Amino acid sequence: MSGYSITEPSDGQKWIAGTLVVLYAVITLLPLLWIIATGFKSPSDSIAYPPKLVFEPTLEGYVNLFTSRTRATPEMLAEVGPPTTWYDAIVRKYDMVITGPSRYGERFMNSLIIGFGSTFLAILLGTMAAYAFSRFKVPLKDDLMFFILSTRMMPPIAVAIPIFLMYRQLGLSDTHLGMILLYTAVNLSLSVWLLKGFIDEIPVEYEEAALIDGYTRFQAFRKVVLPQAATGIASTAIFCLIFAWNEYAFAVLLTSGNAQTAPPFIPTIIGVGGQDWPAVAAGATLFLVPVMVFTILLRKHLLRGITFGAVRK
């Protein structure tokens, strides 16, 4: 019987592999670092050619992101008096005054409600559906699983118009509930397929032992299966949140005011004389924070969750 020998990579191979990983990380992070840096540039520095790598940082982009401003005449400026805050002083440089907060905070909050709300529903329904497909004899199981998967095959724009007409008739256009239900429906197929693989890896004998000890089916599911599937649930939640958080096409078509999320709002930020690129970059930077924090909190589960269902016992 012949076997295979496993040899350790040489120092040169390790150095080459490490160099390639670092180079890939730098290339991947460079656009993100450029966006973050642009958020601290002045409007003139943000569009300078050649691009400025060394510049004087300013919070002008963040001030413009969170405030609404209007141009004032010298008489108006004299009437309101000198600036009383640092952000008011930034605006006065352009002969403008702050009239109130911008709509970015509302749009950001809408993203939080819709993104995390749809992720919670997709995980809740997906876990129960995946458990049913994994443990019970469901009629036409393979056909149903393929049908669920097929909903991910078509681009969102292909069904955008029918959904728009349906939502208008049901009164769900530009509502949080409508967007949560829509993103839940889109994410549900991914949730079911991923979670079924994780639950398949949990030995059914654990549940049988719990049932013998007097647990009900639901108690066995809650106290035995869910703790074992926590890794898969965490990794699936990250993927569902990323889709709902970044989705653009449905948000543009189905929302305009009350439930509009940040992605369609950020590109519309206009400054003095055109697009306010520092404010756009500042909005994009802040928009990355919740998903980044959510992923960091679940990072211990992510790698294991991705590979958990790859090898069957």
Side-chain angles (χ1 to χ4, degrees), residues 146-168:
F146 178 78
F147 172 76
I148 293 174
L149 179 64
S150 66
T151 60
R152 301 284 298 190
M153 297 179 183
M154 66 178 69
I157 197 64
V159 295
I161 300 302
I163 290 177
F164 171 77
L165 296 176
M166 179 178 66
Y167 267 42
R168 188 173 62 178

Side-chain angles (χ1 to χ4, degrees), residues 100-113:
S102 69
R103 304 296 299 273
Y104 180 77
E106 300 175 18
R107 303 302 190 259
F108 191 85
M109 185 59 64
N110 288 341
S111 291
L112 289 174
I113 295 172

Side-chain angles (χ1 to χ4, degrees), residues 113 144 173 181 224 246:
I113 295 172
L144 288 174
S173 294
L181 293 177
V224 177
N246 296 325

Side-chain angles (χ1 to χ4, degrees), residues 12-313:
Q13 291 173 328
K14 291 181 180 178
W15 185 86
I16 293 174
T19 303
L20 292 175
V21 170
V22 172
L23 181 62
Y24 176 76
V26 170
I27 294 175
T28 304
L29 291 175
L30 187 59
L32 177 60
L33 296 176
W34 189 264
I35 291 174
I36 295 174
T38 303
F40 293 97
K41 291 182 178 181
S42 64
S44 58
D45 288 342
S46 67
I47 59 175
Y49 185 83
K52 288 188 176 181
L53 297 178
V54 180
F55 56 90
E56 183 179 354
T58 176
L59 293 175
E60 185 175 335
Y62 287 88
V63 172
N64 294 344
L65 175 66
F66 285 102
T67 61
S68 296
R69 304 157 308 284
T70 185
R71 189 171 297 279
T73 62
E75 293 78 12
M76 292 177 59
L77 292 175
E79 183 179 349
V80 297
T84 56
T85 60
W86 62 269
Y87 49 86
D88 199 14
I90 291 177
V91 174
R92 293 290 182 89
K93 292 190 303 182
Y94 299 95
D95 295 331
M96 303 182 75
V97 293
I98 297 175
T99 59
S102 69
R103 304 296 299 273
Y104 180 77
E106 300 175 18
R107 303 302 190 259
F108 191 85
M109 185 59 64
N110 288 341
S111 291
L112 289 174
I113 295 172
I114 294 171
F116 283 94
S118 63
T119 298
F120 173 77
L121 280 181
I123 294 300
L124 176 65
L125 299 176
T127 302
M128 293 188 292
Y131 179 76
F133 279 116
S134 177
R135 291 294 190 258
F136 302 126
K137 293 182 179 180
V138 179
L140 303 175
K141 177 189 298 187
D142 294 338
D143 295 332
L144 288 174
M145 289 295 294
F146 178 78
F147 172 76
I148 293 174
L149 179 64
S150 66
T151 60
R152 301 284 298 190
M153 297 179 183
M154 66 178 69
I157 197 64
V159 295
I161 300 302
I163 290 177
F164 171 77
L165 296 176
M166 179 178 66
Y167 267 42
R168 188 173 62 178
Q169 291 293 327
L170 295 176
L172 292 175
S173 294
D174 200 21
T175 64
H176 295 86
L177 177 61
M179 298 305 295
I180 289 174
L181 293 177
L182 178 59
Y183 289 165
T184 299
V186 175
N187 272 330
L188 196 56
S189 58
L190 176 66
S191 177
V192 171
W193 269 85
L194 288 178
L195 289 173
K196 182 180 181 300
F198 296 125
I199 295 176
D200 285 343
E201 293 296 324
I202 301 174
V204 70
E205 290 79 11
Y206 292 168
E207 295 167 71
E208 293 174 349
L211 294 174
I212 292 174
D213 288 341
Y215 281 28
T216 63
R217 171 65 70 174
F218 179 75
Q219 289 174 329
F221 169 73
R222 182 169 60 88
K223 296 183 179 181
V224 177
V225 176
L226 286 185
Q228 296 276 342
T231 296
I233 292 174
S235 58
T236 304
I238 291 175
F239 291 120
C240 291
L241 178 62
I242 289 174
F243 169 82
W245 192 255
N246 296 325
E247 203 283 323
Y248 184 83
F250 286 132
V252 169
L253 184 65
L254 299 177
T255 64
S256 58
N258 294 330
Q260 187 182 55
T261 53
F265 175 77
I266 292 176
T268 65
I269 300 174
I270 302 297
V272 178
Q275 194 81 40
D276 192 343
W277 292 114
V280 171
T285 300
L286 294 177
F287 186 68
L288 294 173
V289 173
V291 174
M292 189 178 300
V293 171
F294 187 72
T295 304
I296 291 174
L297 292 176
L298 300 179
R299 66 187 184 279
K300 295 181 180 179
H301 303 288
L302 183 57
L303 181 59
R304 186 181 170 213
I306 294 174
T307 59
F308 186 71
V311 179
R312 293 182 176 274
K313 298 179 181 179

